[in-house]
Amino acid sequence: MDASLIRADVSWESLVARHVDDVADANDDDSGRDETAARNSKKTGKYKKVCTTDPDASMATNGRNRRLEPSYKQHGVVDDECGVIVEIDVTTGEANEGDHILSRLDTAAQTTGVAITLATADAGYAYGKVFGGLEERKISAVIPTKAEPIRSKVPLRRFRYDAHHDIVKCLRGKILRPNRTKVAYGRFFASKARDCKGCDLAAICLSPSRVTKAVVIVNDYPALLRARRKRDRWGKEEKRLYRRHRWRSEGFHGEAKSWHGLARAVRRGLENMRIQSFLTAMAINLKRLAAAFLLFWSLIWRSIYQEKRPGRSPGSDLRFLGQPISATIC
Ligand code: SF4
């Protein structure tokens, strides 16, 4: 599974015009040049460029040092053995990959009628909810986990989550219990003020002006911890599979963009973008099919005309897709 951004067919001018309109509306200011308001709204997350000429596209980027561009995102599931694209979907560019992998894998399994037993993906999919969903489906994951962001001198990994009792224990053995504050991706666990009062770690553990410690435990956190431990134990096979993922699954997106014009949308709107994406996938699959037929017939030709040595049946030692060629001919 992999995802890739596709540049939407919109101009930069359309983005700027809409932004100025929004700021003007927000401030009821005809000039639309209230820079302070624009800066403040950026800080609060309300600042958002949108494409007036293609509202389905949204601003997204591939890397931190690259600028945001109006984009769509293609999500693709590729069969590991032959490189056949078995599932494709397109969303707006800012869609999170982690929200789509499970539904795409389910659809791929439904389409092919083959249960998926192992999935490979890059670190952009390393979320607790993804590992939890894959465990539920009994799918092994070869997904490199991300390093835990360290935002405090006492990072989250120093707190132990006890799934059985649904509590978190801090370094000093004090218990943090879930409170009512919920976030979309997890739950808050907080300590008691009397536990932290007088703690020798309070100066580095607690935020200034706080008397209790609060941490967020993401959904399916135990699955994420298991995936992290598994990542530390990756052997040759996992490394081989992940290397294969890099050229097989990510290579498909590169092929689609370099050779089939999918780097940029040719029409506007999500449905039109889906059509372009499906047609591109179809063209690539036809190429795979043509290559397979070419290989198949060349093997047959070789088995019939070049393997006429005494004591050998035609095609006895040749294989196609893991099967003896003689069985494939039958
Ligand atoms: S400050 Fe509170 S949460 Fe942090 S280590 Fe001390 S007792 Fe535990």
Side-chain angles (χ1 to χ4, degrees), residues 120 149 221 240 284 310:
T120 60
Y221 188 62
R240 185 191 70 79
I284 292 175

Side-chain angles (χ1 to χ4, degrees), residues 66 71 108 121 123 184 190 220 233-234 238 255 280 288 299 316-317 319:
R66 291 195 194 159
S71 315
D220 291 307
R233 295 195 308 268
W234 269 19
E238 284 83 4
E255 183 181 353
T280 306
R288 306 269 192 274
L299 285 173
S316 57
D317 60 343
R319 301 179 83 78

Side-chain angles (χ1 to χ4, degrees), residues 215-248:
V215 295
V216 176
I217 298 296
V218 297
N219 299 329
D220 291 307
Y221 188 62
L224 179 62
L225 293 180
R226 281 192 287 277
R228 281 191 185 142
R229 286 195 290 269
K230 188 181 166 190
R231 173 67 183 93
D232 291 339
R233 295 195 308 268
W234 269 19
K236 278 185 184 167
E237 179 59 9
E238 284 83 4
K239 286 177 184 164
R240 185 191 70 79
L241 284 167
Y242 192 63
R243 274 199 306 275
R244 201 169 161 80
H245 165 85
R246 301 301 294 266
W247 65 264
R248 176 64 95 187

Side-chain angles (χ1 to χ4, degrees), residues 75-90:
H75 308 263
V77 182
V78 179
D79 159 59
D80 173 67
E81 193 165 345
C82 305
V84 174
I85 302 145
V86 292
E87 170 60 15
I88 280 285
D89 195 19
V90 179

Side-chain angles (χ1 to χ4, degrees), residues 89-318:
D89 195 19
V90 179
T91 59
T92 190
E94 64 185 2
N96 186 305
E97 286 98 324
D99 291 338
H100 293 271
I101 179 170
L102 298 174
S103 58
R104 292 306 101 215
L105 291 178
D106 287 345
T107 313
Q110 217 173 356
T111 307
T112 57
V114 177
I116 295 171
T117 53
L118 190 142
T120 60
D122 61 31
Y125 293 88
Y127 296 101
K129 61 185 175 185
V130 172
F131 291 115
L134 291 174
E135 280 186 2
E136 259 175 44
R137 291 162 175 78
K138 299 192 174 17
I139 298 175
S140 304
V142 177
I143 302 175
T145 48
K146 296 180 215 174
E148 185 192 309
I150 297 177
R151 301 194 179 98
S152 158
K153 286 183 180 167
V154 184
L156 180 61
R157 65 168 178 267
R158 306 300 301 272
F159 291 77
R160 289 196 176 279
Y161 176 63
D162 179 347
H164 184 63
H165 298 103
D166 197 26
I167 55 168
V168 173
K169 277 191 182 171
C170 74
L171 283 76
R172 292 290 175 255
K174 304 296 181 190
I175 291 174
L176 285 72
R177 295 190 186 279
N179 63 22
R180 289 187 193 148
T181 313
K182 283 192 178 174
V183 282
Y185 54 90
R187 291 177 298 153
F188 270 97
F189 285 68
S191 64
K192 288 191 173 137
R194 68 166 179 267
D195 287 339
C196 295
K197 193 176 176 187
C199 173
D200 58 332
L201 294 176
I204 55 171
C205 183
L206 303 181
S207 305
S209 80
R210 295 296 305 265
V211 291
T212 59
K213 177 72 179 177
V215 295
V216 176
I217 298 296
V218 297
N219 299 329
D220 291 307
Y221 188 62
L224 179 62
L225 293 180
R226 281 192 287 277
R228 281 191 185 142
R229 286 195 290 269
K230 188 181 166 190
R231 173 67 183 93
D232 291 339
R233 295 195 308 268
W234 269 19
K236 278 185 184 167
E237 179 59 9
E238 284 83 4
K239 286 177 184 164
R240 185 191 70 79
L241 284 167
Y242 192 63
R243 274 199 306 275
R244 201 169 161 80
H245 165 85
R246 301 301 294 266
W247 65 264
R248 176 64 95 187
S249 188
E250 296 179 11
F252 145 62
H253 293 281
E255 183 181 353
K257 286 181 172 182
S258 312
W259 296 350
H260 299 276
L262 201 67
R264 189 175 174 116
V266 292
R267 295 173 71 191
R268 291 171 184 168
L270 194 54
E271 289 310 311
N272 287 326
M273 191 57 247
R274 283 198 173 117
I275 291 170
Q276 184 183 349
S277 183
F278 290 154
L279 288 174
T280 306
M282 196 189 299
I284 292 175
N285 277 348
L286 285 171
K287 279 168 51 183
R288 306 269 192 274
L289 189 64
F293 268 121
L294 193 65
L295 176 66
F296 179 68
W297 289 114
S298 68
L299 285 173
I300 288 181
W301 183 86
R302 197 176 140 200
S303 70
I304 293 174
Y305 295 101
Q306 295 188 343
E307 296 284 321
K308 289 182 178 173
R309 277 177 271 169
R312 301 189 66 167
S313 60
S316 57
D317 60 343
L318 296 175

